[in-house]
Amino acid sequence: MKAHKLRLALLILTGAACLQPVIGWGVLPTEAEMAEATRWTAARFKAATDPPFSFTYSDKSSSELLPRWKAERSSRDRDASKVEHSLTYTDDATGLQVRCVALEYRDFPTVEWTVFFRNSARADTPILSDIQALDVSLQRHAASEFILHHQKGDDCTPDSYEPLQATLNPKSEHRFAPAGGRPTNRAFPYFNVEWPGAGLITAVGWPGQWAASFNRDGADRLRIRAGQEVTRFKLHPGEEVRTPLIVLQFWNGDRVRAQNIWRRWMLADNLPRTRDGKLPPPIFSSCSGGFFPGLRCNETDEFRFIDALTQAGIKLDYWWMDAGWYPCGDNWPNVGTWTPDPARFPHGLKAVSDHVHAKGMRLIVWFEPERVTPGTWLYQNHPDWLLGREGETRLLNLGNVLARQWLTDHVSGLIAEQGIDLYRQDFNMDPLAYWRANDTADRQGITEIRHVEGYLAYWDDLRRRHPNLLIDSCASGGRRNDLETLRRAVPLLRSDYQSFQGDPGFAPGNQGHTFGLSSWIPYYGQGVYYSERQFVYSARSSFSPAFGLCADIRKPGTDWTLFRRVAEQWRRVAPLYLGDFYPLTPYNLNPALWIAWQFDMPEKGEGMVQAFRRSDSVYESARFKLSGLDPGADYEVSNLDSGEAQTLSGRELSEKGLPVSVRNKPGDTLLTYTRHK
């Protein structure tokens, strides 16, 4: 498969082949797509005869039990664009209630749901197991097979987020699960099943250990199942648990177009907003992190870095204080005492935030509350809140109500008192072994469920108390970016695979990260460090809606003119990253090939193209057919490096393509276009 992709890429660059553009001005769901979503939703939630979930209860399957249980159905308008459907089954014999709450979208061909299990009796329930929040079947109606499009999660490697595909042949099974309990660690809970002319997007929202399987039978059916990986437990009287969030989106026609409808749904209904309903703006940030042993900066150094960048004319949106501001001995990973180190920050972080605010910026501060190391305040004062063995790193149990209440109050107080504008939460450990070790044989999966519920409730409480607070999701980079997380936070660091000290060798991998991630997550961030070697190429390989650019101001030699130019170019194109995404080449990391893409905002008549010529490429020019343009309009295409501009028609750009030249290798070009009024 990889060899095929590379051969195709070479053909593209020599002009012998080209990816077919998506012709059409804009991306909107069709009536047929909306009708299919409505039909499917009515059959599953209004009729209540074929629910899209399954479980085993007292060793009997739900398909056997539910037809005999009392069923109640209701629907109501959640708002102008959503209808809420509720489907409840009750077992009168044991008191188990199974409630599925679904949202049907009126403006997207999308439906989502979460299942809740509650014990309404006065005694423990029988064992509830193998809970599949998603259990549906698709039937093939054509000679060709189902194609599963999926991709890698993040593991801090060049091929993180690599797009993959598999043909779902008869009697085949494809199973996916993350590593260690962080939901996008090596696996990715977003899938697209394609068949001729149509397809189905599936997403699993669970900030824990999910699992998904795609099973073909020997005939024409594909069964899709997904849920928490291990569930086998009884419920105590009055106890309730939830499943992962499941999302389905129906599509017809072109898969790239379908992914752009998904992106638009993510922006419209998932990206967290401020109290006044605004989306997070593009963010340009810098920090002193990475330049001090153990990340142990101090108040004086923070001021020194802030002043140096502002005096150089660098306009920042946020100043980023990463790990190490708390008492941590000689190294930042010693976490569990969440107060500013009085020796290095004698005036707390408030002095830094005041300085930042006076410069017209806002402040990002890093936390990692779930990991607790020996000798810290939490470790010594509240071992009853911690999971794991004494003497080793332990996990703060967010399923413990007292622990979560303390954390919420304490961090909320720090946000208010220290002047923190953006709360950055990291998670540098795998929690799964801690969760499972805490479960008894008849309560498997409960600790994980309670921790996930507590984690989400913690963030919800912070956002209620601080309505304009933005949250940054981090977990050793991008290992915790499931849909439930992304409804509350944005990942300002999509991966820890970044060009430390400006090493340009990280550039191709970051190009691949943009290519792979952009089909699914429209808002994310990445950062680079200033270097005299291929700085522009490295920086633009990591351009993102949120972008960090750092320089060690203690050392002479920073080319501030070049630094400013890169920052200004990012500002010019940053809003365009939230447009529709079109790959212009196949995904690849081959140093002999190019990689390119387009972001298009048809409503504004604007867009951009980024093309990268890798270090071993013998090709100096290429031609890329653009997508989403108005064929009857003219577009002014501008080169942000040379300042040259040319006018081309939308039809010409779509059918003949945009000619691009890059003389240097490695090298890149950054082009913008604007539709003439």
Side-chain angles (χ1 to χ4, degrees), residues 109 150 261 361 377 383 437 547 586 590 616:
H150 62 103
I261 292 176
M361 298 180 283
W377 186 90
F547 181 57
N590 191 323
D616 296 341

Side-chain angles (χ1 to χ4, degrees), residues 79-159:
D79 56 36
S81 64
K82 303 178 191 68
V83 183
E84 180 183 284
H85 303 288
S86 182
L87 176 60
T88 303
Y89 296 91
T90 302
D91 175 22
D92 290 333
T94 67
L96 180 67
Q97 291 181 344
V98 183
R99 178 171 55 94
C100 180
V101 179
L103 279 184
E104 176 185 1
Y105 289 80
R106 287 181 167 135
D107 48 358
F108 289 95
T110 308
V111 60
E112 66 177 64
W113 66 89
T114 307
V115 186
F116 300 85
F117 294 85
R118 181 177 181 272
N119 181 3
S120 63
R122 297 183 178 180
D124 289 347
T125 66
I127 293 294
L128 185 64
S129 63
D130 192 25
I131 299 171
Q132 301 296 313
L134 170 67
D135 192 340
V136 298
S137 293
L138 305 175
Q139 185 169 3
R140 182 169 58 93
H141 295 289
S144 57
E145 293 293 350
F146 293 105
I147 304 296
L148 174 63
H149 299 274
H150 62 103
Q151 61 196 73
K152 291 185 57 179
D154 181 37
D155 59 356
C156 195
T157 58
D159 60 353

Side-chain angles (χ1 to χ4, degrees), residues 236-255:
H236 300 315
E239 187 176 21
E240 183 177 78
V241 296
R242 60 159 289 182
T243 68
L245 169 73
I246 299 296
V247 177
L248 299 184
Q249 190 167 89
F250 300 82
W251 61 270
N252 296 320
D254 179 81
R255 183 174 61 87

